[in-house]
Amino acid sequence: INIVKPAQREMDYLAQNYPFHRLDLDDCLSRIQRPKIDEYQDYIFFIFHFSVYDRATRVSTHDQVAVFIGQKYLVTVHSGELKTLVKLFRECQINEEARRENFSHGSGYLLYRILDRAVDAYFPILDKILSLMEDVEDSVFDENVEAAQEVAILRRDIITQRRIMFPVRMVLAELEPKLKRFTDIDMAVYFGDLMDHMNKICETLDECREIVEVFKDTDFVLSTDRLNRVMRILTIIATIVLPFMAVSSIYGMNV
């Protein structure tokens, strides 16, 4: 079951037809939840975040997906911004082969397929960040370009990306052993591959943060150097003009 843009009506339906705790249903309507796992006797409630790029501010924001997983069902609740999940649901609606592939090993394997697609969809965002870093590097060393604002925007976006992805990695590491009761295959290999991708993402974001800090310091040093050169020229001019100004001041006095 895939619920897009949930309202109270959908939460009431889930409360009537599934053994979900009311606090978990309330969390689905809240947009300020952190990634977490709540384990119950009959199901697991799982929240993870993903990145949404804001073209106006050029800084990413986060959106969340809430997941209820039981022995014979998987319920996803989200805003519709995670296109990979929407696409997967449509494929399963219209394609018998897609349903057979995704549903063949239980709800735990289906959740893995959703998470795998969501993580893979983040790599284009990571490539975009790396491309912006190359552009910012060129602007930092170009004397004709003021790079401070571009460095600040990129630095802010990288910090936001780390705040989104690092908690997700921690939750995914805890999720794999809890899904064993919801699938008929060993998920260790699949989640091992998923965690490899998450580790690569987080390590790349760490490297980007360190590099953008270097860009910030470099831009400050180069700006200071340019300012010192201007001040040196102005000091030479002032030193040359000073005797003439002193003479003209003396003869300009009314005694």
Side-chain angles (χ1 to χ4, degrees), residues 75-233:
V75 181
T76 54
V77 184
H78 59 104
S79 64
E81 293 290 338
L82 186 56
K83 303 304 181 183
T84 55
L85 176 54
V86 175
K87 183 179 179 180
L88 178 63
F89 185 75
R90 289 176 179 172
E91 289 177 359
C92 293
Q93 281 183 310
I94 64 178
N95 192 328
E96 177 66 29
E97 184 178 351
R99 286 198 297 272
R100 189 183 308 111
E101 178 185 359
N102 291 295
F103 298 163
S104 59
H105 300 294
S107 56
Y109 180 75
L110 177 59
L111 178 57
Y112 159 75
R113 295 280 296 176
I114 293 173
L115 296 174
D116 184 53
R117 288 199 176 196
V119 171
D120 288 344
Y122 184 79
F123 281 97
I125 299 176
L126 201 60
D127 293 338
K128 180 65 175 178
I129 293 175
L130 294 175
S131 176
L132 289 174
M133 291 191 65
E134 293 179 359
D135 296 338
V136 168
E137 182 180 9
D138 294 337
S139 63
V140 166
F141 292 98
D142 189 346
E143 294 186 359
N144 299 320
V145 177
E146 292 294 334
Q149 183 177 1
E150 297 299 321
V151 172
I153 292 174
L154 180 59
R155 181 170 177 263
R156 180 185 173 192
D157 190 35
I158 291 173
I159 292 174
T160 303
Q161 299 288 354
R162 294 181 76 255
R163 189 167 62 245
I164 295 171
M165 301 307 295
F166 274 65
V168 174
R169 179 175 65 171
M170 296 175 59
V171 173
L172 290 182
E174 300 177 7
L175 184 63
E176 186 268 329
K178 300 180 185 297
L179 293 181
K180 292 181 179 179
R181 57 186 173 129
F182 300 129
T183 181
D184 57 0
I185 62 174
D186 185 7
M187 298 296 296
V189 176
Y190 296 97
F191 266 84
D193 180 69
L194 184 64
M195 290 306 300
D196 285 342
H197 291 173
M198 283 299 303
N199 290 332
K200 181 179 180 181
I201 289 172
C202 294
E203 289 171 2
T204 303
L205 289 176
D206 272 340
E207 293 175 2
C208 291
R209 185 189 64 168
E210 294 175 1
I211 294 173
V212 80
E213 292 293 337
V214 173
F215 289 165
K216 179 174 72 75
D217 295 338
T218 303
D219 182 66
F220 176 76
V221 170
L222 294 178
S223 299
T224 304
D225 180 66
R226 288 193 290 267
L227 179 61
N228 289 338
R229 280 186 286 175
V230 173
M231 292 300 297
R232 187 162 54 247
I233 295 174

Side-chain angles (χ1 to χ4, degrees), residues 5-31:
K5 296 181 180 179
Q8 190 60 48
R9 175 184 177 184
E10 285 79 11
M11 297 302 101
D12 292 338
Y13 171 83
L14 293 178
Q16 295 171 5
N17 294 274
Y18 294 91
F20 299 156
H21 198 283
R22 173 57 64 179
L23 292 178
D24 295 335
L25 297 175
D26 291 341
D27 288 344
C28 294
L29 299 178
S30 174
R31 313 311 301 173

Side-chain angles (χ1 to χ4, degrees), residues 69-74 107 182:
I69 179 171
Q71 192 65 43
K72 296 183 179 297
Y73 58 81
L74 180 69
S107 56
F182 300 129

